[in-house]
Amino acid sequence: MSLGSQLQELFVKAGIEVDPLNAQCPQTIPCLALACESWAEAAKLAREQSLRLVALWADQGGQGAYGLYAVYARSGAGYALLKTTLQNKTVEFPSIVGHYIAAARMERIIHDLYGLLPVGHPDLRPWINHGYWQAGSGPLQQAFNAESLSQTTAGEYPFLELESEGVYQIPVGLVHAGIIEPGHFRFLAVGEQILNMEARLGYVHKGIEKRIAGRCAPDAVRLAGRVSGDATVAHAWAFCAAAESAAQIEIPLRARQLRAVLCERERMANHIGDIGAICNDAAWSFMHMQCQRLREDMARLHERLFGHRLLMDRVVPGGVGFDLVSDDIPVLLAQTHELAEEMARLFLLYEEHTPIRERVVDSGNISQKDSLDLGLVGYVARAAEVGIDARCDAAYSPYDICTVQPVVCPGGDVSSRLWVRFKEIESSARLIERLLMNLDDSPGRCEWRDPEAGACGFAVIESWRGEIATWVRFEVEGKVGRYYVRDPSVVNWLGLELVVRSVPVPDFPLNNKSFNCSYSGHDL
Amino acid sequence: MQRMLRRIIRIGTITEPLGESRNEAEQLGEHLSVAIRRRFRNSLAICLVDAGSCNACELEIQAMNNPYYDLERFGVHFVASPRHADMLLVTGPVSRHMETALRVTYEAVPDPKLVVAVGECAACGGEFGVSYASCGAVSNILPVDIVIHGCPPSPTDLMRGILTAVSP
């Protein structure tokens, strides 16, 4: 029984009226509509059933009415979408923060971008809005006037304070010391010990969701591929999969296989880079240099075979924008195999290198319960013994045939997050091998045709960082009306704030790198 | 330890001579005299400001420090504070939320200083253009000396561009 029918049964039992949504809803996910008054009650029931909140977003439809969407999931049962419409021009909706912690940031984002008010939200400090537009207005409102932007600089942000003796604040960022993205961290510390860390994000908000509106899918995918440059394949794939589900296009098997090959290569490259960088943050530069070398080897082969070092703009609506000639397959296979072997050798060195083990073991622990409560995703969750992986849970093609076993381990510390990365490199290498050996003879691309006006699509894709959830609504002439994307970082940033409460200040970079959340993917 | 040393020896030195760039760097104006620029040669400190990029440019900037490119052999290194920098590398379209921080960071770099706009977004706004949330090109905010094109520029493009800035 699908999660949709399970939920429907549950809601009916609790006296909540639900309607299965109309034909313009995505075919790929069960959809239920309910009244706004039942919104919080539905969340409560979902929570009682241990469902995970995947995403929460708003949209403004044709007549200007606001719609609110939430996606819930359970491992093994799949995903389900709930929708409600705000009636009578109200801008208020019931908050579900009491049931889902992860909803806190998502509702603040809705508040800032649409001016809607989550009633009962305990913390409505501006998040994406840094003071350039009035609270209550929002850039994604149809009536938003860009001319009305205030020219004043951003206002003060009231960070959490603690007035105990000996507690001091450390402001870090927003322009960081290394070669990384900008964001501000505010620590409350006593001596070397962190008591609390609060992140202030939104600095790289560049209006992707608004910018993409009005573009046709083949053009819009370029922007989707730049939500987070390090996960460009996964984000482009998520957009394309959502758009294809709206257009009801079935792309050829070869295209799906090649997308997966690129996505797995992206996973390997980023995991290799991260392993090196985490070790570097514990002053083990040998590992950093080895990993950087392997990562560069990957980038060079990508340039040669696919035409781009980071694989940008290779995934397009309808398939992939390149073809892999059969002579190149052994080259790709050989390198993938060699990389996995090199990393296995480096893993042995890592395991016997006590100075690094000393730093990573038992640093920044997160329990399985906390991980579930926050709804964390990706390697962060899997390192805390939560086996969620969209490749299994959504089993989207080609992972329906080429199945994956999630790499799970207990511990929840930096060393577990490293271990999961090492093992995922191995598993990705095996997947690439299987995909390439069974590469279909069909074309790598089919013709894209614009979906009808009002058609919507939804997709989840497991990026190297974790699950990406994407929703696309089309308007007339195949133009994108609304593009919503929930990068894994939106939830995983919460996890980082939680784990560093148990570490000393100098171990923060180590933990930060072991999470490696995206700023750009969060800020959009 | 022995195994680590064996690996280091087996792999050896893999650093390559600097290759040819595909995206030529573009010089805008002459903000610094040739004499000053020559002084920066063989000892250039860089501070990076991501003013709104998607993180792809950062990956390629990091790659300049990998053993194939080894940027430091040209006397070019990255520093943590703009106070210690001679050059500001700026990536991304300048988001409105980063505009003030970018100006403040620029002010913090001691004179004489160079500004290099890295990547298509920094050059012209790229895919993000100018909007309610984006100010577009870096040159809309700061005086720019060198523009390195590419989405993202390769490490070779970046190194050629940086070295152009300090060659007479």
Side-chain angles (χ1 to χ4, degrees):
Chain A
M1 193 159 73
S2 81
L3 187 61
S5 18
Q6 282 179 35
L7 275 178
Q8 190 166 1
E9 208 168 274
L10 189 74
F11 291 160
V12 169
K13 229 183 258 175
I16 300 175
E17 270 185 47
V18 285
D19 288 323
L21 278 173
N22 63 31
Q24 285 196 323
C25 271
Q27 308 293 307
T28 40
I29 177 172
C31 309
L32 299 171
L34 42 90
C36 195
E37 303 82 63
S38 316
W39 188 249
E41 179 66 15
K44 181 167 171 272
L45 290 171
R47 182 61 208 252
E48 281 168 7
Q49 295 294 310
S50 307
L51 300 190
R52 177 170 61 90
L53 176 70
V54 176
L56 179 63
W57 71 97
D59 188 14
Q60 195 174 14
Q63 274 81 48
Y66 293 106
L68 211 55
Y69 299 81
V71 170
Y72 295 94
R74 177 161 50 204
S75 279
Y79 295 70
L81 183 133
L82 300 188
K83 184 197 175 183
T84 186
T85 310
L86 306 193
Q87 302 292 343
N88 306 326
K89 301 207 165 150
T90 174
V91 293
E92 295 185 348
F93 67 94
S95 167
I96 59 167
V97 177
H99 311 295
Y100 285 99
I101 301 166
R105 294 259 167 95
M106 296 174 188
E107 287 180 357
R108 280 168 84 180
I109 293 172
I110 294 174
H111 176 65
D112 283 359
L113 297 183
Y114 279 97
L116 301 179
L117 193 67
V119 177
H121 194 298
D123 172 19
L124 274 185
R125 286 175 296 169
W127 184 242
I128 298 293
N129 181 359
H130 283 203
Y132 286 95
W133 62 86
Q134 297 265 310
S137 79
L140 293 186
Q141 282 176 344
Q142 283 164 1
F144 181 74
N145 179 5
E147 308 292 306
S148 71
L149 285 179
S150 84
Q151 290 303 310
T152 55
T153 49
E156 285 288 302
Y157 185 78
F159 286 98
L160 186 77
E161 292 189 13
L162 196 60
E163 288 182 1
S164 306
E165 196 181 327
V167 176
Y168 62 99
Q169 295 193 11
I170 313 174
V172 174
L174 54 127
V175 176
H176 290 293
I179 305 170
I180 54 167
E181 301 178 84
H184 182 87
F185 301 122
R186 187 65 63 95
F187 296 92
L188 293 174
V190 170
E192 291 270 88
Q193 189 59 46
I194 298 171
L195 296 178
N196 191 56
M197 188 279 276
E198 215 184 334
R200 168 85 170 117
L201 302 174
Y203 289 98
V204 285
H205 173 67
K206 38 197 179 282
I208 292 176
E209 287 162 295
K210 186 151 183 117
R211 182 87 183 163
I212 208 167
R215 293 194 188 189
C216 289
D219 186 23
V221 69
R222 291 181 58 83
L223 210 43
R226 284 162 182 78
V227 163
S228 181
D230 47 26
T232 176
V233 173
H235 272 289
W237 188 358
F239 173 83
C240 289
E244 283 150 10
S245 89
Q248 301 186 19
I249 294 176
E250 172 112 15
I251 65 162
L253 178 60
R254 187 185 178 86
R256 284 171 269 153
Q257 288 171 322
L258 286 175
R259 282 179 181 181
V261 168
L262 295 196
C263 198
E264 296 305 329
R265 290 278 296 187
E266 183 174 77
R267 192 181 322 278
M268 290 178 74
N270 281 294
H271 281 352
I272 291 173
D274 272 6
I275 289 170
I278 295 168
C279 293
N280 193 46
D281 275 341
W284 194 23
S285 55
F286 162 80
M287 188 62 117
H288 186 45
M289 285 299 141
Q290 295 296 324
C291 290
Q292 287 257 299
R293 171 176 73 86
L294 298 175
R295 200 189 166 136
E296 178 68 22
D297 289 340
M298 294 191 79
R300 289 180 176 196
L301 192 64
H302 291 159
E303 169 85 41
R304 205 180 107 199
L305 301 186
F306 308 115
H308 195 285
R309 286 168 51 91
L310 302 177
L311 303 170
M312 266 180 172
D313 307 322
R314 304 301 105 173
V315 177
V316 295
V320 289
F322 62 91
D323 197 30
L324 192 60
V325 293
S326 51
D327 288 354
D328 288 340
I329 294 174
V331 182
L332 192 57
L333 274 174
Q335 197 205 40
T336 306
H337 185 69
E338 176 58 24
L339 283 164
E341 288 208 325
E342 278 285 301
M343 287 312 289
R345 282 193 281 267
L346 289 171
F347 178 68
L348 294 177
L349 288 178
Y350 156 78
E351 281 216 301
E352 66 180 23
H353 194 67
T354 33
I356 182 88
R357 304 290 297 157
E358 189 78 0
R359 291 289 300 278
V360 298
V361 172
D362 223 17
S363 176
N365 291 72
I366 188 155
S367 68
Q368 186 189 42
K369 182 180 179 301
D370 284 342
S371 177
L372 287 168
D373 283 349
L374 290 176
L376 302 184
V377 293
Y379 46 76
V380 176
R382 292 192 287 274
E385 230 180 336
V386 177
I388 49 172
D389 187 325
R391 292 174 295 176
C392 320
D393 300 340
Y396 52 92
S397 181
Y399 299 107
D400 51 348
I401 308 164
C402 199
T403 51
V404 192
Q405 209 46 23
V407 175
V408 176
C409 84
D413 56 358
V414 177
S415 112
S416 313
R417 291 188 278 278
L418 272 170
W419 189 87
V420 168
R421 283 178 168 97
F422 272 112
K423 295 298 155 191
E424 286 188 356
I425 292 168
E426 264 174 44
S427 108
S428 287
R430 281 197 303 270
L431 270 172
I432 293 171
E433 212 164 304
R434 275 159 63 199
L435 287 161
L436 288 177
M437 295 304 237
N438 299 308
L439 203 57
D440 198 63
D441 286 332
S442 49
R445 192 173 179 173
C446 67
E447 206 185 326
W448 166 255
R449 50 164 203 274
D450 290 332
E452 53 185 271
C456 299
F458 177 82
V460 287
I461 296 291
E462 186 75 14
S463 75
W464 67 274
R465 231 184 225 112
E467 169 204 62
I468 294 171
T470 298
W471 160 270
V472 185
R473 174 176 56 79
F474 283 92
E475 287 174 349
V476 285
E477 293 167 357
K479 288 180 176 152
V480 174
R482 174 79 168 107
Y483 164 62
Y484 167 80
V485 54
R486 200 231 62 226
D487 189 85
S489 314
V490 174
V491 276
N492 281 1
W493 275 115
L494 294 166
L496 178 67
E497 292 189 347
L498 188 68
V499 302
V500 298
R501 285 184 193 168
S502 64
V503 305
V505 179
D507 276 358
F508 173 72
L510 199 61
N511 275 279
N512 189 19
K513 199 72 214 176
S514 78
F515 273 70
N516 199 1
C517 297
S518 165
Y519 300 69
S520 180
H522 169 280
D523 297 350
L524 297 179
Chain B
M1 196 57 170
Q2 264 187 354
R3 275 209 262 186
M4 225 159 88
L5 285 172
R6 267 208 297 273
R7 285 217 67 69
I8 292 171
I9 292 163
R10 196 184 73 73
I11 291 162
T13 306
I14 57 170
T15 309
E16 301 169 336
L18 187 53
E20 289 303 316
S21 59
R22 281 197 303 183
N23 293 298
E24 288 290 317
E26 182 188 333
Q27 292 204 43
L28 306 177
E30 285 288 327
H31 294 289
L32 295 184
S33 73
V34 172
I36 292 175
R37 284 161 56 152
R38 194 176 288 135
R39 295 252 161 101
F40 281 143
R41 271 176 93 187
N42 303 322
S43 170
L44 181 77
I46 303 181
C47 174
L48 169 94
V49 182
D50 170 346
S53 101
C54 71
N55 203 26
C57 286
E58 279 62 36
L59 289 179
E60 294 298 49
I61 292 170
Q62 281 167 6
M64 286 194 290
N65 285 321
N66 80 29
Y68 283 107
Y69 300 105
D70 187 24
L71 181 64
E72 290 214 16
R73 73 187 136 139
F74 299 106
V76 182
H77 63 286
F78 283 86
V79 290
S81 165
R83 296 260 183 231
H84 305 155
D86 307 310
M87 175 187 278
L88 214 51
L89 273 193
V90 188
T91 61
V94 181
S95 76
R96 258 181 233 282
H97 295 166
M98 280 302 291
E99 183 188 342
T100 310
L102 178 61
R103 284 185 202 279
V104 172
T105 311
Y106 175 77
E107 291 304 324
V109 180
D111 281 320
K113 54 191 161 196
L114 289 157
V115 176
V116 179
V118 171
E120 228 40 62
C121 298
C124 65
E127 288 292 327
F128 304 102
V130 176
S131 73
Y132 78 93
S134 162
C135 309
V138 175
S139 58
N140 294 343
I141 307 296
L142 298 180
V144 172
D145 299 283
I146 300 278
V147 175
I148 304 174
H149 290 278
C151 185
S154 70
T156 309
D157 297 339
L158 286 163
M159 285 166 76
R160 287 265 172 214
I162 289 168
L163 295 175
T164 307
V166 290
S167 46

